[in-house]
Amino acid sequence: MKRPALLGALIVLLLVVAGFTVNDKVKSKEPVITFYDVPLICPGAPDIGCGTRAKPVLLEMEKNAAIKEAWLNRVGTVIAVVWNENASSELRTTTAAAIFKENKMDVKLVEGKDYKKMQTDFHEKKNWYRGEDVNKLSMEEEGIIVDRLLKRINSKTPLSQEKIQSLKTEFVAALINRFTKNYTSEFNSNPKVMENAIQESENELLEIGKKYLNEPEMNALKEAMALGLMPTENEKPSCTKDMKKESCGSKQ
């Protein structure tokens, strides 16, 4: 092979190698992930995140062209946003701010050491929920709420195991049906929407109770419902390192 031809072949080879190197770098480019501290702890089960409130935020985020994925951590304290690579820093800031504002949600950017810790946790994906998956948290919350109501009733007038099981099955189904709906941002921004959902749920539970309970037992159910679906101060769990102070009982 003549020298010019050899030189040309060498140049082509170098360009091909360089192309592969550039492509490898593009393929291995890590997406930008932003973490936000959010107030999405379940009011009815303070040690997990509230799927009903989180879902409108997550679904709205993933409708946006700038966002690839949006996740909530199990304890309801952090939302992770995985951005599309064409989203500029300014676009990321304005997009997130607009969605959180629409949901009337005060958030804080996770930075520094907390960011690195959250990034490690997020990559494991063991306790993170995306979009419709937060329904699993809602279902878990409804079971906790119903167990608490039945415990209140049982403390006033002991129920048979048959009645407990029948009430639990129908109570949980009614609450799941109510709180796994695809609510809009109004569920977060308009207190009346949540209040109405809770009131309608309480009315439905009382109607279910009439099918199984005698008069003293119904009175016990009404007393239990009068305390609300949320835990009283004495019913809140003890604080753990992953829980915020407002989530747990001050006396425990």
Side-chain angles (χ1 to χ4, degrees), residues 55-85:
K55 190 156 64 165
V57 183
L58 301 182
L59 295 182
E60 185 62 30
M61 282 183 161
E62 294 202 355
K63 288 179 185 177
N64 194 289
I67 295 173
K68 184 178 180 181
E69 301 170 8
W71 300 73
L72 177 75
N73 69 340
R74 176 173 171 77
V75 292
T77 57
V78 176
I79 278 181
V81 179
V82 182
W83 300 94
N84 283 317
E85 70 174 56

Side-chain angles (χ1 to χ4, degrees), residues 41-60:
I41 295 168
C42 271
D47 54 347
I48 61 174
C50 182
T52 314
R53 291 191 60 212
K55 190 156 64 165
V57 183
L58 301 182
L59 295 182
E60 185 62 30

Side-chain angles (χ1 to χ4, degrees), residues 23 26 46 73 78 88 93 130 144 151 157 163 189-190 206 229 245:
N23 286 336
V26 171
N73 69 340
V78 176
S88 66
T93 300
R130 180 182 176 188
I144 292 170
K151 185 177 180 181
T157 173
K163 286 186 178 182
S189 62
N190 184 353
L206 288 171
L229 297 183
K245 289 181 180 179

Side-chain angles (χ1 to χ4, degrees), residues 15 28 37 52 54 68-69 77 94 112 157 200 207 227 234 239:
L15 288 173
S28 64
D37 278 327
T52 314
K68 184 178 180 181
E69 301 170 8
T77 57
T94 56
T157 173
E200 289 166 3
E207 287 303 311
L227 293 174
N234 290 331
C239 288

Side-chain angles (χ1 to χ4, degrees), residues 16-52:
V16 170
V17 172
F20 278 125
T21 303
V22 170
N23 286 336
D24 286 343
K25 286 182 179 179
V26 171
K27 288 178 183 177
S28 64
K29 185 179 180 181
E30 290 290 327
V32 175
I33 304 173
T34 309
F35 298 103
Y36 301 92
D37 278 327
V38 294
L40 288 173
I41 295 168
C42 271
D47 54 347
I48 61 174
C50 182
T52 314

